Amino acid sequence: MNLDGIMEDALKGGPDAVAIACADVRAGFVLGASARGDAERDAATSAAACAAQLCATPRLGADPDCDEDVDGTSALVVSSSWIHAYARVARKPELVIVGVARGDANVALLLDWVKRVAGGLEAVA
Amino acid sequence: MTAPVSSRETGLQFAVRNAVDVCAFVDRLSHDAAGEILVAREGTLARGAVFVEGGRVCWAAARGLAPRLTELLIRSSGVDAETMESNFRHCKLAGVPLGELLVARGLVRDAELRAALLQHTIESMDALCHEDASASWRPRPGGYSPRFTFTTSEVLARSLGHAHRGLAAASDRALDVFSNAPPGEWGAAFIRGGAFAAPSPIAARGFLPETAAAVLRVGKWAASALDVAATFQSEDAFLTAMEAGGSSLVAWRHDQTIIAGRVWAQGPARILNHRATLRRRARTASQD
């Protein structure tokens, strides 16, 4: 599977997106990325490398000593400079897509786009 | 994993340095357990006790603080000291809780009693907990009205907030976003460092989970996720992680605290708007 090619195609349809990457959170590798420039590519790969921690939430059950995490479906990191949106590929939960946009972009549109890319990847992965 | 403490276990000694220790013990009790945590210091006789039933804290009593509850009730309800004393005498003879009698007689409102009991419990626990304090569990029959008892999450946030009043007050504005939250949503301000190994809540709003353990887990998640996000984003970033059931965990830094909580689908957008409004106000204020 040519993930760089898939990311490149996806970026063309991204609303205000400047970069996109796909990470295997179990193996800890960034499998593919596409960006408008080198700085944006770095921003996407750095963010993708943190996907395992950011796309996980604590299991809040009855056992007070449980210290396990569970897979989150998506995540957002938003500041005035950058927006990073994450979405997990449902049937391949080890794969997480991260999209990057400038801080003034529309957060909801970016997240929706990243989720669509993750959904599309499900069909080919 | 620690096995739940059954109602039959007695004599177990454990440290009670702060409210975190008390709440952790209560969270591990089996749900049908009722009894008291007897607190002693340096091997002396009990200095007081924390009464527990059904995984909830009913109230705490510490030596020297016995008149405090009536003080708090007189202040909040406006009942005069003489009426309070006659009701107190009646309770002693009848063996019924004073607060519940005052509510039954219409002298104190539910909310006033609840607030006074919680404040009294917090102050008593503050007096009981200490670096060299230890405690043991003694089962005894229950019978407290659940509406006047408290979850460990509520007790923990109020206790630590009592000890860090300045920081708790400073987090008020950030927590406003959880004030009119729908059922299931909550948020808390956490501090880290000092006496606490893990991020600890000092103020909370909304519908807290039952256990202090769940609140502490979210605080730990928030601190760790914000540290990770800070490696590629600015320090003031807002973070949200969506869970499979449609809820989201949220986290951001506010002055010296971390704000974290759990919200439904519209929660992250509401918080982003709230943060933008606060930022605009701060900018306007600095220009004036």
Side-chain angles (χ1 to χ4, degrees), chain A residues 46-47 50 54 56-60 63-69 72-79 82-84 86 111, chain B residues 1-2 27-28 213-214 217-218 220-221 225 228-229 231-234 236-244 249 262 272:
Chain A
S46 301
C50 299
L54 297 175
T57 58
R59 187 187 295 281
L60 301 174
D63 178 5
D65 295 306
C66 175
D67 202 23
E68 282 173 26
D69 284 340
T73 57
S74 51
L76 279 166
V77 186
V78 182
S79 74
W82 295 101
I83 303 167
H84 292 84
Y86 296 79
L111 181 61
Chain B
M1 190 181 131
T2 311
D27 280 348
R28 289 188 182 100
R217 281 281 285 140
V218 171
K220 189 176 162 194
W221 163 83
V228 168
T231 61
F232 63 88
Q233 264 272 24
S234 56
D236 72 336
F238 166 78
L239 176 72
T240 178
M242 290 78 166
E243 299 171 301
L249 295 185
R262 199 177 205 180
L272 280 169

Side-chain angles (χ1 to χ4, degrees), chain B:
Chain B
M1 190 181 131
T2 311
V5 180
S6 85
S7 56
R8 291 182 299 278
E9 273 182 79
T10 54
L12 176 70
Q13 292 282 322
F14 57 98
V16 282
R17 292 156 299 184
N18 49 48
V20 178
D21 291 336
V22 175
C23 292
F25 181 82
V26 177
D27 280 348
R28 289 188 182 100
L29 285 168
S30 61
H31 212 69
D32 59 354
E36 56 194 1
I37 297 168
L38 290 168
V39 182
R41 227 152 101 188
E42 292 162 341
T44 59
L45 290 171
R47 294 175 55 84
V50 180
F51 300 89
V52 179
E53 186 177 349
R56 295 168 72 94
V57 174
C58 306
W59 80 305
R63 222 181 267 170
L65 282 178
R68 181 68 177 137
L69 180 61
T70 36
E71 262 175 47
L72 289 165
L73 285 170
I74 287 171
R75 194 189 300 165
S76 64
S77 68
V79 173
D80 63 80
E82 205 177 310
T83 310
M84 193 62 85
E85 203 178 320
S86 73
N87 278 288
F88 180 73
R89 276 199 300 271
H90 176 83
C91 287
K92 274 277 188 195
L93 288 171
V96 293
L98 172 67
E100 290 179 31
L101 179 89
L102 293 172
V103 169
R105 291 186 169 177
L107 295 167
V108 173
R109 282 194 288 265
D110 274 23
E112 288 168 347
L113 174 60
R114 209 170 187 281
L117 282 171
L118 182 56
Q119 183 61 25
H120 180 260
T121 295
I122 298 313
E123 290 179 20
S124 301
M125 278 176 55
D126 192 41
L128 292 173
C129 296
H130 192 270
E131 274 304 311
D132 57 16
S134 67
S136 57
W137 171 248
R138 187 170 71 182
R140 56 171 259 184
Y144 286 96
S145 169
R147 69 194 163 126
F148 299 121
T149 62
F150 309 96
T151 62
T152 52
S153 56
E154 198 175 3
V155 169
L156 182 63
R158 279 292 297 272
S159 286
L160 302 184
H162 183 71
H164 298 86
R165 290 181 198 82
L167 281 174
S171 64
D172 248 14
R173 202 181 285 181
L175 288 174
D176 272 351
V177 73
F178 298 102
S179 288
N180 297 312
E185 287 197 357
W186 63 273
F190 294 83
I191 52 168
R192 28 181 190 182
F196 308 110
S200 304
I202 54 164
R205 300 273 178 86
F207 297 81
L208 284 173
E210 285 284 306
T211 64
V215 175
L216 289 167
R217 281 281 285 140
V218 171
K220 189 176 162 194
W221 163 83
S224 156
L226 286 170
D227 283 348
V228 168
T231 61
F232 63 88
Q233 264 272 24
S234 56
E235 283 273 329
D236 72 336
F238 166 78
L239 176 72
T240 178
M242 290 78 166
E243 299 171 301
S247 54
S248 296
L249 295 185
V250 291
W252 69 97
R253 292 178 207 279
H254 177 79
D255 295 335
Q256 295 169 67
T257 60
I258 288 172
I259 309 290
R262 199 177 205 180
V263 294
W264 295 116
Q266 304 305 318
R270 196 179 72 235
I271 293 167
L272 280 169
N273 281 335
H274 180 75
R275 276 164 52 93
T277 307
L278 289 182
R279 234 181 267 131
R280 265 198 307 276
R281 276 190 206 150
R283 261 200 308 270
T284 311
S286 69
Q287 283 163 3
D288 289 345

